[in-house]
Amino acid sequence: MDTEETRETEEFLLPRSRAANERLHAMIPGGAHTYAKGDDQYPENLAPVISHGHGAHVWDIDGNRYVEYGSGLRSVSLGHAHPRVIEAVRRELDRGSNFVRPSIVEVEAAERFLATVPTAEMVKFAKNGSDVTTAAVRLARAVTGRPRVAICGDHPFFSTDDWFIGTTPMSAGIPAATTELTVSFPYGDLAATEELLTRHRDEVACLILEPAGHSEPPPGYLVGLRELADRHGCVLIFDEMITGFRWSEAGAQGLYGVVPDLSTFGKALGNGFAVSALAGRRELMERGGLRHAGDRVFLLSTTHGAETHSLAAAMAVQATYVEEGVTARLHTLGERLAAGVRDAAAGMGVGDHLVVRGRASNLVYATLDENGQPSQQYRTLFLRRLLAGGVLAPSFVVSSALDDADIDHTIDMVAQACAVYRKALDAGDPTPWLAGRPVKPVFRRLA
């Protein structure tokens, strides 16, 4: 490692954050309340603990400012402390947040959501994505009388509940009998999905997937999946946690024109406030209600699911997206960032190793080694250089609060990181540039 690089790395230390991380681990398993926010996801001793954020920037407790990407695991798409959202929340805080009967805010929030996502006929709110995806699965099992859940095996996450976590390397504590009821199908492959449904004929309650991921759906795929679900009598569920609002105000279902039976929303819906939604066809959703003659389904019943300030935040977010064309802005920002990162990587001779993927509003990147294989070591090197340059980027997922100066600064820091990347590739070993253990995948069997 060059002397200058060594000096810069040594100067960028986070003593207060490091001490706070130790305090976190002493009291909180994993040192964070979300595994994807753990310090194992960052270079050793370079996991900033956040003091506050505003717009597209956050500050750590050591006083460093960062341009932030992927804010709140993609939930803060308008930027931190967005004035319209904060004002809506403040109005409700003085009026009480939780009552023994539904508040009028619940009516208004439901009307706003169904106007924004017109492919849905009913909606029920909760606090997190796992609650609503599990409710969708339970409802599908109830209306079909079938036990199995078919998940898209190419999508990384659906729920913290046993029906999904049992399929991951972190399956400790989950009975095998539960996991055996979850099967998987590959994204984009209708023939393989039909084979799965035929093999488990009359057993699969639902197909659940993100309608789109790092690449666009193959032509006719979502329509074909809709037809498969109808033919085999199972429920089609779109997990729109990520695609909701970032693809269009009405989600991917609105963009691609394919209507699922049920869909789930969260993340961007509250711009950081805790709110999620299960939406879908009235015929199915009403099975969790009081106006039907069949067996009652325990669909969703949460103490805090209808907190007034979170629902107010959701309404403000939806109004802002529609009135200000936020989705289009996210795509414009993402396209500019992606082009700049690709040019910077190519200019430093690592264009085949730092690869930007995904829709412009939801960019991620891959770090590949000398053999073109995904590498946690090169990811560590890359993250380390970005952090030292004031860019906090576990992904390149943009918020609408970014401006041209933020993007330009990010591209400059990417170019500097890529220069080091090239040196490591030439050396055939990134270890000297890591200064500690590499970052780790979230889902792994051992700590």
Side-chain angles (χ1 to χ4, degrees):
M1 186 184 296
D2 292 349
T3 302
E4 182 178 348
E5 290 169 12
T6 304
R7 184 172 63 252
E8 288 177 359
T9 302
E10 288 176 347
E11 287 175 355
F12 184 71
L13 297 175
L14 304 175
R16 292 179 179 174
S17 291
R18 184 176 180 181
N21 276 313
E22 289 302 310
R23 291 164 60 196
L24 285 164
H25 280 283
M27 296 177 287
I28 302 167
H33 291 293
T34 312
Y35 283 118
K37 296 183 182 183
D39 58 2
D40 60 336
Q41 303 300 293
Y42 292 85
E44 191 166 3
N45 299 325
L46 290 185
V49 174
I50 304 303
S51 164
H52 63 287
H54 190 269
H57 301 111
V58 294
W59 286 257
D60 67 25
I61 60 175
D62 291 279
N64 301 296
R65 188 184 83 156
Y66 306 87
V67 179
E68 187 196 40
Y69 293 91
S71 314
L73 305 182
R74 297 179 172 88
S75 67
V76 185
S77 60
L78 299 178
H80 298 290
H82 187 275
R84 187 168 184 174
V85 177
I86 295 301
E87 178 57 31
V89 169
R90 284 200 179 107
R91 281 198 303 269
E92 292 304 324
L93 289 177
D94 291 334
R95 293 162 53 83
S97 64
N98 208 333
F99 314 105
V100 75
R101 279 282 293 148
S103 76
I104 190 64
V105 176
E106 295 175 52
V107 179
E108 296 165 351
E111 288 173 342
R112 166 67 75 172
F113 181 90
L114 295 174
T116 306
V117 186
T119 41
E121 295 174 331
M122 296 187 83
V123 62
K124 198 158 191 185
F125 296 111
K127 303 308 287 182
N128 62 69
S130 293
D131 285 347
V132 290
T133 53
T134 291
V137 166
R138 184 186 304 117
L139 181 56
R141 282 172 160 163
V143 298
T144 62
R146 299 174 178 182
R148 294 191 187 275
V149 177
I151 65 173
C152 181
D154 296 315
H155 295 157
F157 189 79
F158 290 104
S159 174
T160 60
D161 293 301
D162 289 2
W163 63 269
F164 173 70
I165 295 297
T167 69
T168 75
M170 295 177 72
S171 60
I174 300 172
T178 298
T179 303
E180 288 166 3
L181 292 176
T182 300
V183 294
S184 68
F185 60 93
Y187 187 79
D189 192 334
L190 291 173
T193 306
E194 180 153 33
E195 189 279 327
L196 176 77
L197 293 171
T198 301
R199 180 167 17 109
H200 298 289
R201 186 179 298 277
D202 298 331
E203 293 182 355
V204 176
C206 61
L207 301 172
I208 182 168
L209 73 158
E210 296 178 38
H214 299 326
S215 58
E216 288 293 288
Y221 173 63
L222 294 178
V223 170
L225 209 60
R226 173 72 275 173
E227 292 172 351
L228 271 181
D230 291 339
R231 192 183 324 140
H232 287 268
C234 54
V235 175
L236 180 61
I237 304 171
F238 281 177
D239 179 337
E240 297 244 36
M241 293 298 153
I242 294 173
T243 54
F245 299 97
R246 286 190 179 275
W247 263 241
S248 82
E249 291 85 357
Q253 58 194 277
L255 179 65
Y256 300 125
V258 177
V259 182
D261 298 301
L262 300 171
S263 55
T264 58
F265 289 76
K267 293 192 184 292
L269 180 57
N271 200 53
F273 286 92
V275 60
S276 61
L278 168 64
R281 289 168 44 208
R282 181 176 301 277
E283 178 187 356
L284 273 65
M285 293 287 288
E286 190 59 80
R287 289 289 298 272
L290 300 176
R291 298 183 175 182
H292 66 93
D295 291 341
R296 294 185 68 194
V297 178
F298 193 94
L299 185 59
L300 271 170
S301 181
T302 56
T303 299
H304 302 291
E307 279 181 333
T308 55
H309 57 270
S310 291
L311 295 183
M315 287 190 282
V317 167
Q318 290 163 88
T320 302
Y321 262 81
V322 172
E323 294 169 18
E324 298 183 10
V326 172
T327 302
R329 175 166 173 77
L330 293 176
H331 283 86
T332 298
L333 289 166
E335 287 164 0
R336 189 170 185 274
L337 176 63
V341 169
R342 288 173 180 139
D343 287 347
M348 293 298 172
V350 297
D352 294 332
H353 300 273
L354 177 67
V355 181
V356 180
R357 296 171 175 160
R359 193 172 182 86
S361 60
N362 188 56
L363 295 171
V364 297
Y365 58 84
T367 50
L368 310 180
D369 64 14
E370 299 87 347
N371 301 312
Q373 297 301 307
S375 169
Q376 295 294 93
Q377 288 186 308
Y378 280 101
R379 179 174 174 84
T380 307
L381 176 155
F382 187 67
L383 282 170
R384 191 174 183 84
R385 301 302 304 177
L386 290 187
L387 285 165
V391 177
L392 182 57
S395 69
F396 282 141
V397 176
V398 296
S399 76
S400 65
L402 291 161
D403 60 23
D404 288 347
D406 295 323
I407 301 256
D408 289 342
H409 176 70
T410 301
I411 293 168
D412 287 344
M413 293 306 102
V414 166
Q416 292 184 30
C418 287
V420 180
Y421 205 132
R422 182 69 259 171
K423 292 178 184 179
L425 287 169
D426 292 340
D429 179 15
T431 304
W433 287 271
L434 302 188
R437 53 111 182 104
V439 299
K440 300 178 181 180
V442 170
F443 285 113
R444 59 186 192 275
R445 189 171 67 88
L446 300 175

